[in-house]
Amino acid sequence: KAGVTQTPRYLIKTRGQQVTLSCSPISGHRSVSWYQQTPGQGLQFLFEYFSETQRNKGNFPGRFSGRQFSNSRSEMNVSTLELGDSALYLCASSLAPNRLNEKLFFGSGTQLSVL
Amino acid sequence: AQSVTQLGSHVSVSEGALVLLRCNYSSSVPPYLFWYVQYPNQGLQLLLKYTTGATLVKGINGFEAEFKKSETSFHLTKPSAHMSDAAEYFCAVRGNEKLTFGTGTRLTIIP
């Protein structure tokens, strides 16, 4: 069974641009979460989607948005990029969000560099 | 609200020595607790988790963790470190909301 796939693996953008990251969950998984990982900050929760609906949102500005499609694939978008947005963006999938002890399966991430 | 504190952003141990990575949590409801490991250039993978029942949890690669409610701790241990254990380790807690991660501990193994 294929794992969580994130594309692209690396991305270089300049300040003010926007970016879209893609995540394909494990087949059969309907919940997708996004995290921002930076050195010293660990993983910061961005948002969680289930059945095309956002169920939880972290404390990020409105420049960060996401969506989920009917096939459970998810995208996140960051508009008006800032230098501080440089980070590894990780996507994780699970069967369903209401299983609180459910383990997450992570992709390898998209490394975003903002110049 | 819930939070996780990992004591020590960097830990170095000699090969064959005991590994101890510390994690303290806070949660307003009985928590589910997790340890994830991240190898270089990879995503995170689950090492072990505590849900209910036995407080000593065994995971993959010889790791185990003990849930101590009175100390609000969930420390990760391994009796004998191996070079392949070099990675970053994240403790996480989930009460009745999103999964919250600690800031991570980078484990270095000294040959």
Side-chain angles (χ1 to χ4, degrees), chain A residues 9 35 37 40-43 45 48 88 90 97 100-101 103-104 106-108, chain B residues 32 34 36 38 41-44 46 49 51 90 94-96 98-99 101-103:
Chain A
R9 185 70 179 91
Y35 292 84
Q37 184 180 9
Q41 297 267 343
L43 279 77
F45 173 76
E48 177 182 43
L88 179 66
L90 291 167
L100 297 180
N101 62 350
K103 83 178 205 181
L104 299 182
F106 283 83
S108 297
Chain B
Y32 296 108
F34 306 80
Y36 281 83
Q38 185 178 33
N41 299 313
Q42 295 185 27
L44 282 70
L46 183 69
K49 64 180 179 181
T51 54
F90 293 90
R94 189 165 194 171
N96 54 6
K98 64 185 186 297
L99 189 63
F101 285 86
T103 52

PDB file of all heavy atoms in Angstrom, chain A residues 9 35 37 40-43 45 48 88 90 97 100-101 103-104 106-108, chain B residues 32 34 36 38 41-44 46 49 51 90 94-96 98-99 101-103:
ATOM      1  N   ARG A   9       8.654  18.018  -3.468  1.00  0.00           N
ATOM      2  CA  ARG A   9       9.536  17.725  -2.336  1.00  0.00           C
ATOM      3  C   ARG A   9      10.259  18.983  -1.885  1.00  0.00           C
ATOM      4  O   ARG A   9      10.456  19.198  -0.691  1.00  0.00           O
ATOM      5  CB  ARG A   9      10.541  16.646  -2.742  1.00  0.00           C
ATOM      6  CG  ARG A   9      11.430  16.186  -1.600  1.00  0.00           C
ATOM      7  CD  ARG A   9      10.644  15.372  -0.579  1.00  0.00           C
ATOM      8  NE  ARG A   9      11.523  14.915   0.499  1.00  0.00           N
ATOM      9  CZ  ARG A   9      11.734  15.610   1.623  1.00  0.00           C
ATOM     10  NH1 ARG A   9      11.147  16.781   1.806  1.00  0.00           N
ATOM     11  NH2 ARG A   9      12.533  15.132   2.563  1.00  0.00           N
ATOM     12  N   TYR A  35       0.965  20.092   9.132  1.00  0.00           N
ATOM     13  CA  TYR A  35       1.816  20.643  10.190  1.00  0.00           C
ATOM     14  C   TYR A  35       2.950  21.438   9.545  1.00  0.00           C
ATOM     15  O   TYR A  35       3.456  21.090   8.473  1.00  0.00           O
ATOM     16  CB  TYR A  35       2.424  19.532  11.047  1.00  0.00           C
ATOM     17  CG  TYR A  35       1.424  18.790  11.891  1.00  0.00           C
ATOM     18  CD1 TYR A  35       0.686  17.730  11.377  1.00  0.00           C
ATOM     19  CD2 TYR A  35       1.215  19.155  13.214  1.00  0.00           C
ATOM     20  CE1 TYR A  35      -0.235  17.057  12.150  1.00  0.00           C
ATOM     21  CE2 TYR A  35       0.289  18.485  14.004  1.00  0.00           C
ATOM     22  CZ  TYR A  35      -0.425  17.436  13.463  1.00  0.00           C
ATOM     23  OH  TYR A  35      -1.345  16.770  14.236  1.00  0.00           O
ATOM     24  N   GLN A  37       6.816  22.466  10.306  1.00  0.00           N
ATOM     25  CA  GLN A  37       7.944  22.102  11.157  1.00  0.00           C
ATOM     26  C   GLN A  37       9.101  23.060  10.931  1.00  0.00           C
ATOM     27  O   GLN A  37       9.580  23.216   9.806  1.00  0.00           O
ATOM     28  CB  GLN A  37       8.404  20.665  10.886  1.00  0.00           C
ATOM     29  CG  GLN A  37       9.512  20.220  11.821  1.00  0.00           C
ATOM     30  CD  GLN A  37       9.982  18.803  11.577  1.00  0.00           C
ATOM     31  OE1 GLN A  37       9.604  18.161  10.601  1.00  0.00           O
ATOM     32  NE2 GLN A  37      10.797  18.281  12.481  1.00  0.00           N
ATOM     33  N   GLY A  40      13.530  24.197  16.365  1.00  0.00           N
ATOM     34  CA  GLY A  40      13.262  24.839  17.649  1.00  0.00           C
ATOM     35  C   GLY A  40      11.791  25.021  17.978  1.00  0.00           C
ATOM     36  O   GLY A  40      11.431  25.219  19.127  1.00  0.00           O
ATOM     37  N   GLN A  41      10.935  24.979  16.977  1.00  0.00           N
ATOM     38  CA  GLN A  41       9.488  25.131  17.201  1.00  0.00           C
ATOM     39  C   GLN A  41       8.750  23.801  17.156  1.00  0.00           C
ATOM     40  O   GLN A  41       7.594  23.710  17.563  1.00  0.00           O
ATOM     41  CB  GLN A  41       8.879  26.052  16.137  1.00  0.00           C
ATOM     42  CG  GLN A  41       9.414  27.467  16.154  1.00  0.00           C
ATOM     43  CD  GLN A  41       8.555  28.380  17.002  1.00  0.00           C
ATOM     44  OE1 GLN A  41       7.424  28.056  17.328  1.00  0.00           O
ATOM     45  NE2 GLN A  41       9.109  29.512  17.382  1.00  0.00           N
ATOM     46  N   GLY A  42       9.416  22.798  16.637  1.00  0.00           N
ATOM     47  CA  GLY A  42       8.737  21.515  16.516  1.00  0.00           C
ATOM     48  C   GLY A  42       7.666  21.567  15.452  1.00  0.00           C
ATOM     49  O   GLY A  42       7.776  22.298  14.468  1.00  0.00           O
ATOM     50  N   LEU A  43       6.627  20.786  15.665  1.00  0.00           N
ATOM     51  CA  LEU A  43       5.527  20.736  14.708  1.00  0.00           C
ATOM     52  C   LEU A  43       4.372  21.601  15.205  1.00  0.00           C
ATOM     53  O   LEU A  43       3.886  21.407  16.309  1.00  0.00           O
ATOM     54  CB  LEU A  43       5.032  19.300  14.520  1.00  0.00           C
ATOM     55  CG  LEU A  43       5.825  18.407  13.585  1.00  0.00           C
ATOM     56  CD1 LEU A  43       7.091  17.923  14.259  1.00  0.00           C
ATOM     57  CD2 LEU A  43       4.979  17.232  13.127  1.00  0.00           C
ATOM     58  N   PHE A  45       0.519  22.708  14.447  1.00  0.00           N
ATOM     59  CA  PHE A  45      -0.667  22.246  13.744  1.00  0.00           C
ATOM     60  C   PHE A  45      -1.266  23.370  12.900  1.00  0.00           C
ATOM     61  O   PHE A  45      -1.493  24.480  13.394  1.00  0.00           O
ATOM     62  CB  PHE A  45      -1.680  21.749  14.771  1.00  0.00           C
ATOM     63  CG  PHE A  45      -3.019  21.384  14.211  1.00  0.00           C
ATOM     64  CD1 PHE A  45      -3.192  20.200  13.517  1.00  0.00           C
ATOM     65  CD2 PHE A  45      -4.104  22.225  14.377  1.00  0.00           C
ATOM     66  CE1 PHE A  45      -4.427  19.850  13.009  1.00  0.00           C
ATOM     67  CE2 PHE A  45      -5.345  21.891  13.873  1.00  0.00           C
ATOM     68  CZ  PHE A  45      -5.509  20.698  13.188  1.00  0.00           C
ATOM     69  N   GLU A  48      -6.916  20.430   9.950  1.00  0.00           N
ATOM     70  CA  GLU A  48      -7.289  19.042   9.765  1.00  0.00           C
ATOM     71  C   GLU A  48      -8.574  18.986   8.944  1.00  0.00           C
ATOM     72  O   GLU A  48      -9.514  19.755   9.193  1.00  0.00           O
ATOM     73  CB  GLU A  48      -7.505  18.364  11.121  1.00  0.00           C
ATOM     74  CG  GLU A  48      -7.960  16.919  11.034  1.00  0.00           C
ATOM     75  CD  GLU A  48      -8.207  16.328  12.413  1.00  0.00           C
ATOM     76  OE1 GLU A  48      -8.808  17.001  13.266  1.00  0.00           O
ATOM     77  OE2 GLU A  48      -7.779  15.183  12.631  1.00  0.00           O
ATOM     78  N   LEU A  88       9.492  23.101   6.786  1.00  0.00           N
ATOM     79  CA  LEU A  88       9.081  21.809   6.232  1.00  0.00           C
ATOM     80  C   LEU A  88       7.590  21.650   6.535  1.00  0.00           C
ATOM     81  O   LEU A  88       7.178  21.762   7.691  1.00  0.00           O
ATOM     82  CB  LEU A  88       9.877  20.675   6.875  1.00  0.00           C
ATOM     83  CG  LEU A  88       9.546  19.255   6.399  1.00  0.00           C
ATOM     84  CD1 LEU A  88       9.939  19.065   4.936  1.00  0.00           C
ATOM     85  CD2 LEU A  88      10.261  18.226   7.273  1.00  0.00           C
ATOM     86  N   LEU A  90       4.488  19.262   6.626  1.00  0.00           N
ATOM     87  CA  LEU A  90       4.198  17.845   6.688  1.00  0.00           C
ATOM     88  C   LEU A  90       2.701  17.600   6.624  1.00  0.00           C
ATOM     89  O   LEU A  90       1.918  18.313   7.247  1.00  0.00           O
ATOM     90  CB  LEU A  90       4.738  17.247   7.993  1.00  0.00           C
ATOM     91  CG  LEU A  90       6.253  17.167   8.125  1.00  0.00           C
ATOM     92  CD1 LEU A  90       6.639  16.863   9.565  1.00  0.00           C
ATOM     93  CD2 LEU A  90       6.832  16.118   7.205  1.00  0.00           C
ATOM     94  N   PRO A  97     -10.807  11.145  12.094  1.00  0.00           N
ATOM     95  CA  PRO A  97     -10.313  12.013  13.175  1.00  0.00           C
ATOM     96  C   PRO A  97     -10.946  11.740  14.521  1.00  0.00           C
ATOM     97  O   PRO A  97     -10.436  12.177  15.533  1.00  0.00           O
ATOM     98  CB  PRO A  97     -10.678  13.413  12.683  1.00  0.00           C
ATOM     99  CG  PRO A  97     -11.881  13.204  11.837  1.00  0.00           C
ATOM    100  CD  PRO A  97     -11.675  11.881  11.160  1.00  0.00           C
ATOM    101  N   LEU A 100      -9.340   9.124  18.609  1.00  0.00           N
ATOM    102  CA  LEU A 100      -8.323   9.975  19.208  1.00  0.00           C
ATOM    103  C   LEU A 100      -7.009   9.256  19.435  1.00  0.00           C
ATOM    104  O   LEU A 100      -5.969   9.888  19.576  1.00  0.00           O
ATOM    105  CB  LEU A 100      -8.849  10.557  20.516  1.00  0.00           C
ATOM    106  CG  LEU A 100     -10.061  11.470  20.368  1.00  0.00           C
ATOM    107  CD1 LEU A 100     -10.506  11.985  21.725  1.00  0.00           C
ATOM    108  CD2 LEU A 100      -9.763  12.631  19.427  1.00  0.00           C
ATOM    109  N   ASN A 101      -7.055   7.922  19.510  1.00  0.00           N
ATOM    110  CA  ASN A 101      -5.807   7.183  19.700  1.00  0.00           C
ATOM    111  C   ASN A 101      -5.230   6.681  18.382  1.00  0.00           C
ATOM    112  O   ASN A 101      -4.300   5.899  18.366  1.00  0.00           O
ATOM    113  CB  ASN A 101      -6.027   6.012  20.656  1.00  0.00           C
ATOM    114  CG  ASN A 101      -7.031   5.010  20.101  1.00  0.00           C
ATOM    115  OD1 ASN A 101      -7.695   5.280  19.102  1.00  0.00           O
ATOM    116  ND2 ASN A 101      -7.137   3.867  20.734  1.00  0.00           N
ATOM    117  N   LYS A 103      -3.137   6.438  15.099  1.00  0.00           N
ATOM    118  CA  LYS A 103      -1.824   6.930  14.745  1.00  0.00           C
ATOM    119  C   LYS A 103      -1.900   7.651  13.411  1.00  0.00           C
ATOM    120  O   LYS A 103      -2.742   7.350  12.571  1.00  0.00           O
ATOM    121  CB  LYS A 103      -0.813   5.799  14.705  1.00  0.00           C
ATOM    122  CG  LYS A 103      -0.761   4.984  13.422  1.00  0.00           C
ATOM    123  CD  LYS A 103       0.329   3.931  13.547  1.00  0.00           C
ATOM    124  CE  LYS A 103       0.878   3.497  12.229  1.00  0.00           C
ATOM    125  NZ  LYS A 103       1.928   2.461  12.360  1.00  0.00           N
ATOM    126  N   LEU A 104      -1.007   8.607  13.252  1.00  0.00           N
ATOM    127  CA  LEU A 104      -0.908   9.360  12.007  1.00  0.00           C
ATOM    128  C   LEU A 104       0.191   8.764  11.145  1.00  0.00           C
ATOM    129  O   LEU A 104       1.226   8.336  11.642  1.00  0.00           O
ATOM    130  CB  LEU A 104      -0.590  10.823  12.287  1.00  0.00           C
ATOM    131  CG  LEU A 104      -1.600  11.616  13.112  1.00  0.00           C
ATOM    132  CD1 LEU A 104      -1.144  13.069  13.241  1.00  0.00           C
ATOM    133  CD2 LEU A 104      -2.985  11.550  12.493  1.00  0.00           C
ATOM    134  N   PHE A 106       2.693   9.900   8.246  1.00  0.00           N
ATOM    135  CA  PHE A 106       3.229  11.141   7.703  1.00  0.00           C
ATOM    136  C   PHE A 106       3.882  10.933   6.342  1.00  0.00           C
ATOM    137  O   PHE A 106       4.497   9.891   6.075  1.00  0.00           O
ATOM    138  CB  PHE A 106       4.293  11.722   8.639  1.00  0.00           C
ATOM    139  CG  PHE A 106       3.719  12.412   9.842  1.00  0.00           C
ATOM    140  CD1 PHE A 106       3.345  11.683  10.960  1.00  0.00           C
ATOM    141  CD2 PHE A 106       3.561  13.785   9.851  1.00  0.00           C
ATOM    142  CE1 PHE A 106       2.817  12.315  12.080  1.00  0.00           C
ATOM    143  CE2 PHE A 106       3.038  14.432  10.961  1.00  0.00           C
ATOM    144  CZ  PHE A 106       2.666  13.697  12.067  1.00  0.00           C
ATOM    145  N   GLY A 107       3.774  11.972   5.510  1.00  0.00           N
ATOM    146  CA  GLY A 107       4.563  12.032   4.303  1.00  0.00           C
ATOM    147  C   GLY A 107       5.954  12.564   4.620  1.00  0.00           C
ATOM    148  O   GLY A 107       6.244  12.928   5.764  1.00  0.00           O
ATOM    149  N   SER A 108       6.807  12.626   3.602  1.00  0.00           N
ATOM    150  CA  SER A 108       8.182  13.105   3.801  1.00  0.00           C
ATOM    151  C   SER A 108       8.276  14.621   3.825  1.00  0.00           C
ATOM    152  O   SER A 108       9.319  15.168   4.145  1.00  0.00           O
ATOM    153  CB  SER A 108       9.092  12.549   2.708  1.00  0.00           C
ATOM    154  OG  SER A 108       9.147  11.141   2.792  1.00  0.00           O
TER     155      SER A 108
ATOM    156  N   TYR B  32      -4.259  10.820  25.495  1.00  0.00           N
ATOM    157  CA  TYR B  32      -3.588   9.805  24.711  1.00  0.00           C
ATOM    158  C   TYR B  32      -2.188  10.364  24.436  1.00  0.00           C
ATOM    159  O   TYR B  32      -2.046  11.532  24.070  1.00  0.00           O
ATOM    160  CB  TYR B  32      -4.321   9.547  23.399  1.00  0.00           C
ATOM    161  CG  TYR B  32      -5.703   8.983  23.585  1.00  0.00           C
ATOM    162  CD1 TYR B  32      -6.826   9.765  23.346  1.00  0.00           C
ATOM    163  CD2 TYR B  32      -5.891   7.673  24.005  1.00  0.00           C
ATOM    164  CE1 TYR B  32      -8.103   9.252  23.518  1.00  0.00           C
ATOM    165  CE2 TYR B  32      -7.166   7.153  24.181  1.00  0.00           C
ATOM    166  CZ  TYR B  32      -8.270   7.945  23.936  1.00  0.00           C
ATOM    167  OH  TYR B  32      -9.527   7.442  24.121  1.00  0.00           O
ATOM    168  N   PHE B  34       1.808   9.844  22.700  1.00  0.00           N
ATOM    169  CA  PHE B  34       2.511   9.233  21.582  1.00  0.00           C
ATOM    170  C   PHE B  34       3.980   9.662  21.580  1.00  0.00           C
ATOM    171  O   PHE B  34       4.318  10.755  22.023  1.00  0.00           O
ATOM    172  CB  PHE B  34       1.894   9.697  20.242  1.00  0.00           C
ATOM    173  CG  PHE B  34       0.413   9.492  20.119  1.00  0.00           C
ATOM    174  CD1 PHE B  34      -0.477  10.388  20.703  1.00  0.00           C
ATOM    175  CD2 PHE B  34      -0.090   8.429  19.392  1.00  0.00           C
ATOM    176  CE1 PHE B  34      -1.853  10.214  20.585  1.00  0.00           C
ATOM    177  CE2 PHE B  34      -1.463   8.246  19.263  1.00  0.00           C
ATOM    178  CZ  PHE B  34      -2.342   9.137  19.854  1.00  0.00           C
ATOM    179  N   TYR B  36       6.813   9.825  18.471  1.00  0.00           N
ATOM    180  CA  TYR B  36       7.114   9.664  17.057  1.00  0.00           C
ATOM    181  C   TYR B  36       8.613   9.879  16.857  1.00  0.00           C
ATOM    182  O   TYR B  36       9.250  10.645  17.578  1.00  0.00           O
ATOM    183  CB  TYR B  36       6.356  10.686  16.210  1.00  0.00           C
ATOM    184  CG  TYR B  36       4.900  10.349  15.966  1.00  0.00           C
ATOM    185  CD1 TYR B  36       3.921  10.665  16.910  1.00  0.00           C
ATOM    186  CD2 TYR B  36       4.496   9.729  14.782  1.00  0.00           C
ATOM    187  CE1 TYR B  36       2.583  10.360  16.678  1.00  0.00           C
ATOM    188  CE2 TYR B  36       3.160   9.427  14.540  1.00  0.00           C
ATOM    189  CZ  TYR B  36       2.212   9.745  15.494  1.00  0.00           C
ATOM    190  OH  TYR B  36       0.883   9.448  15.267  1.00  0.00           O
ATOM    191  N   GLN B  38      11.620  10.806  13.816  1.00  0.00           N
ATOM    192  CA  GLN B  38      11.859  11.340  12.478  1.00  0.00           C
ATOM    193  C   GLN B  38      13.316  11.130  12.101  1.00  0.00           C
ATOM    194  O   GLN B  38      14.213  11.724  12.709  1.00  0.00           O
ATOM    195  CB  GLN B  38      11.508  12.831  12.418  1.00  0.00           C
ATOM    196  CG  GLN B  38      11.620  13.430  11.029  1.00  0.00           C
ATOM    197  CD  GLN B  38      11.223  14.892  11.006  1.00  0.00           C
ATOM    198  OE1 GLN B  38      11.446  15.623  11.971  1.00  0.00           O
ATOM    199  NE2 GLN B  38      10.606  15.334   9.916  1.00  0.00           N
ATOM    200  N   ASN B  41      15.484  13.574   6.568  1.00  0.00           N
ATOM    201  CA  ASN B  41      14.806  13.675   5.270  1.00  0.00           C
ATOM    202  C   ASN B  41      13.587  12.764   5.162  1.00  0.00           C
ATOM    203  O   ASN B  41      13.219  12.361   4.056  1.00  0.00           O
ATOM    204  CB  ASN B  41      15.782  13.372   4.121  1.00  0.00           C
ATOM    205  CG  ASN B  41      16.931  14.347   4.092  1.00  0.00           C
ATOM    206  OD1 ASN B  41      16.735  15.551   4.182  1.00  0.00           O
ATOM    207  ND2 ASN B  41      18.138  13.830   4.010  1.00  0.00           N
ATOM    208  N   GLN B  42      12.991  12.452   6.282  1.00  0.00           N
ATOM    209  CA  GLN B  42      11.792  11.629   6.257  1.00  0.00           C
ATOM    210  C   GLN B  42      10.696  12.269   7.101  1.00  0.00           C
ATOM    211  O   GLN B  42      10.943  13.189   7.875  1.00  0.00           O
ATOM    212  CB  GLN B  42      12.085  10.222   6.793  1.00  0.00           C
ATOM    213  CG  GLN B  42      13.055   9.415   5.944  1.00  0.00           C
ATOM    214  CD  GLN B  42      13.204   8.000   6.472  1.00  0.00           C
ATOM    215  OE1 GLN B  42      12.306   7.457   7.106  1.00  0.00           O
ATOM    216  NE2 GLN B  42      14.348   7.400   6.203  1.00  0.00           N
ATOM    217  N   GLY B  43       9.492  11.767   6.947  1.00  0.00           N
ATOM    218  CA  GLY B  43       8.403  12.179   7.811  1.00  0.00           C
ATOM    219  C   GLY B  43       8.497  11.470   9.148  1.00  0.00           C
ATOM    220  O   GLY B  43       9.462  10.763   9.425  1.00  0.00           O
ATOM    221  N   LEU B  44       7.506  11.666   9.983  1.00  0.00           N
ATOM    222  CA  LEU B  44       7.506  11.044  11.297  1.00  0.00           C
ATOM    223  C   LEU B  44       6.853   9.671  11.224  1.00  0.00           C
ATOM    224  O   LEU B  44       5.942   9.432  10.430  1.00  0.00           O
ATOM    225  CB  LEU B  44       6.708  11.892  12.293  1.00  0.00           C
ATOM    226  CG  LEU B  44       7.384  13.118  12.868  1.00  0.00           C
ATOM    227  CD1 LEU B  44       7.549  14.206  11.819  1.00  0.00           C
ATOM    228  CD2 LEU B  44       6.578  13.646  14.048  1.00  0.00           C
ATOM    229  N   LEU B  46       5.353   6.463  13.938  1.00  0.00           N
ATOM    230  CA  LEU B  46       4.980   6.177  15.318  1.00  0.00           C
ATOM    231  C   LEU B  46       5.912   5.141  15.940  1.00  0.00           C
ATOM    232  O   LEU B  46       6.158   4.078  15.373  1.00  0.00           O
ATOM    233  CB  LEU B  46       3.541   5.664  15.367  1.00  0.00           C
ATOM    234  CG  LEU B  46       2.981   5.389  16.759  1.00  0.00           C
ATOM    235  CD1 LEU B  46       2.785   6.708  17.504  1.00  0.00           C
ATOM    236  CD2 LEU B  46       1.668   4.629  16.669  1.00  0.00           C
ATOM    237  N   LYS B  49       2.466   4.236  21.573  1.00  0.00           N
ATOM    238  CA  LYS B  49       1.405   5.102  22.062  1.00  0.00           C
ATOM    239  C   LYS B  49       0.801   4.525  23.334  1.00  0.00           C
ATOM    240  O   LYS B  49       0.793   3.309  23.547  1.00  0.00           O
ATOM    241  CB  LYS B  49       0.310   5.297  21.017  1.00  0.00           C
ATOM    242  CG  LYS B  49      -0.450   4.029  20.652  1.00  0.00           C
ATOM    243  CD  LYS B  49      -1.532   4.322  19.606  1.00  0.00           C
ATOM    244  CE  LYS B  49      -2.276   3.044  19.230  1.00  0.00           C
ATOM    245  NZ  LYS B  49      -3.331   3.316  18.185  1.00  0.00           N
ATOM    246  N   THR B  51      -2.803   4.582  25.378  1.00  0.00           N
ATOM    247  CA  THR B  51      -4.213   4.957  25.316  1.00  0.00           C
ATOM    248  C   THR B  51      -4.829   4.729  26.693  1.00  0.00           C
ATOM    249  O   THR B  51      -5.022   5.653  27.458  1.00  0.00           O
ATOM    250  CB  THR B  51      -4.956   4.176  24.227  1.00  0.00           C
ATOM    251  OG1 THR B  51      -4.751   2.770  24.422  1.00  0.00           O
ATOM    252  CG2 THR B  51      -4.403   4.549  22.860  1.00  0.00           C
ATOM    253  N   PHE B  90       9.819  13.016  18.887  1.00  0.00           N
ATOM    254  CA  PHE B  90       8.764  13.940  19.263  1.00  0.00           C
ATOM    255  C   PHE B  90       7.743  13.241  20.155  1.00  0.00           C
ATOM    256  O   PHE B  90       7.230  12.181  19.807  1.00  0.00           O
ATOM    257  CB  PHE B  90       8.035  14.480  18.026  1.00  0.00           C
ATOM    258  CG  PHE B  90       8.871  15.363  17.156  1.00  0.00           C
ATOM    259  CD1 PHE B  90       9.620  14.822  16.112  1.00  0.00           C
ATOM    260  CD2 PHE B  90       8.929  16.730  17.371  1.00  0.00           C
ATOM    261  CE1 PHE B  90      10.400  15.636  15.300  1.00  0.00           C
ATOM    262  CE2 PHE B  90       9.699  17.553  16.570  1.00  0.00           C
ATOM    263  CZ  PHE B  90      10.437  17.003  15.537  1.00  0.00           C
ATOM    264  N   ARG B  94      -2.813  14.032  22.952  1.00  0.00           N
ATOM    265  CA  ARG B  94      -4.121  14.337  22.387  1.00  0.00           C
ATOM    266  C   ARG B  94      -5.163  14.121  23.471  1.00  0.00           C
ATOM    267  O   ARG B  94      -5.266  13.024  24.012  1.00  0.00           O
ATOM    268  CB  ARG B  94      -4.420  13.461  21.181  1.00  0.00           C
ATOM    269  CG  ARG B  94      -5.671  13.894  20.415  1.00  0.00           C
ATOM    270  CD  ARG B  94      -5.727  13.254  19.057  1.00  0.00           C
ATOM    271  NE  ARG B  94      -6.730  13.895  18.207  1.00  0.00           N
ATOM    272  CZ  ARG B  94      -6.890  13.653  16.914  1.00  0.00           C
ATOM    273  NH1 ARG B  94      -6.104  12.767  16.326  1.00  0.00           N
ATOM    274  NH2 ARG B  94      -7.815  14.275  16.222  1.00  0.00           N
ATOM    275  N   GLY B  95      -5.883  15.205  23.788  1.00  0.00           N
ATOM    276  CA  GLY B  95      -6.969  15.099  24.752  1.00  0.00           C
ATOM    277  C   GLY B  95      -8.260  14.868  23.997  1.00  0.00           C
ATOM    278  O   GLY B  95      -8.619  13.781  23.618  1.00  0.00           O
ATOM    279  N   ASN B  96      -8.995  15.947  23.771  1.00  0.00           N
ATOM    280  CA  ASN B  96     -10.208  15.822  22.972  1.00  0.00           C
ATOM    281  C   ASN B  96     -10.166  16.765  21.783  1.00  0.00           C
ATOM    282  O   ASN B  96     -11.178  17.167  21.242  1.00  0.00           O
ATOM    283  CB  ASN B  96     -11.440  16.104  23.827  1.00  0.00           C
ATOM    284  CG  ASN B  96     -11.329  17.446  24.525  1.00  0.00           C
ATOM    285  OD1 ASN B  96     -10.394  18.197  24.288  1.00  0.00           O
ATOM    286  ND2 ASN B  96     -12.283  17.742  25.391  1.00  0.00           N
ATOM    287  N   LYS B  98      -6.978  18.520  18.808  1.00  0.00           N
ATOM    288  CA  LYS B  98      -5.920  18.170  17.868  1.00  0.00           C
ATOM    289  C   LYS B  98      -4.723  17.559  18.588  1.00  0.00           C
ATOM    290  O   LYS B  98      -4.552  17.686  19.791  1.00  0.00           O
ATOM    291  CB  LYS B  98      -5.464  19.421  17.122  1.00  0.00           C
ATOM    292  CG  LYS B  98      -4.838  20.468  18.036  1.00  0.00           C
ATOM    293  CD  LYS B  98      -4.510  21.722  17.262  1.00  0.00           C
ATOM    294  CE  LYS B  98      -3.755  22.730  18.116  1.00  0.00           C
ATOM    295  NZ  LYS B  98      -4.517  23.208  19.252  1.00  0.00           N
ATOM    296  N   LEU B  99      -3.886  16.878  17.819  1.00  0.00           N
ATOM    297  CA  LEU B  99      -2.655  16.301  18.349  1.00  0.00           C
ATOM    298  C   LEU B  99      -1.632  17.423  18.508  1.00  0.00           C
ATOM    299  O   LEU B  99      -1.379  18.177  17.571  1.00  0.00           O
ATOM    300  CB  LEU B  99      -2.148  15.248  17.363  1.00  0.00           C
ATOM    301  CG  LEU B  99      -0.995  14.357  17.804  1.00  0.00           C
ATOM    302  CD1 LEU B  99      -1.388  13.505  18.997  1.00  0.00           C
ATOM    303  CD2 LEU B  99      -0.552  13.465  16.648  1.00  0.00           C
ATOM    304  N   PHE B 101       2.271  18.450  19.489  1.00  0.00           N
ATOM    305  CA  PHE B 101       3.619  17.900  19.564  1.00  0.00           C
ATOM    306  C   PHE B 101       4.523  18.774  20.434  1.00  0.00           C
ATOM    307  O   PHE B 101       4.341  19.994  20.535  1.00  0.00           O
ATOM    308  CB  PHE B 101       4.238  17.828  18.166  1.00  0.00           C
ATOM    309  CG  PHE B 101       3.698  16.719  17.313  1.00  0.00           C
ATOM    310  CD1 PHE B 101       2.556  16.904  16.557  1.00  0.00           C
ATOM    311  CD2 PHE B 101       4.343  15.491  17.263  1.00  0.00           C
ATOM    312  CE1 PHE B 101       2.052  15.882  15.767  1.00  0.00           C
ATOM    313  CE2 PHE B 101       3.847  14.460  16.474  1.00  0.00           C
ATOM    314  CZ  PHE B 101       2.701  14.665  15.728  1.00  0.00           C
ATOM    315  N   GLY B 102       5.524  18.139  21.020  1.00  0.00           N
ATOM    316  CA  GLY B 102       6.589  18.867  21.676  1.00  0.00           C
ATOM    317  C   GLY B 102       7.563  19.390  20.621  1.00  0.00           C
ATOM    318  O   GLY B 102       7.399  19.137  19.430  1.00  0.00           O
ATOM    319  N   THR B 103       8.591  20.097  21.091  1.00  0.00           N
ATOM    320  CA  THR B 103       9.533  20.721  20.163  1.00  0.00           C
ATOM    321  C   THR B 103      10.608  19.760  19.682  1.00  0.00           C
ATOM    322  O   THR B 103      11.425  20.121  18.853  1.00  0.00           O
ATOM    323  CB  THR B 103      10.188  21.947  20.801  1.00  0.00           C
ATOM    324  OG1 THR B 103      10.731  21.572  22.062  1.00  0.00           O
ATOM    325  CG2 THR B 103       9.172  23.068  20.998  1.00  0.00           C
TER     326      THR B 103
END
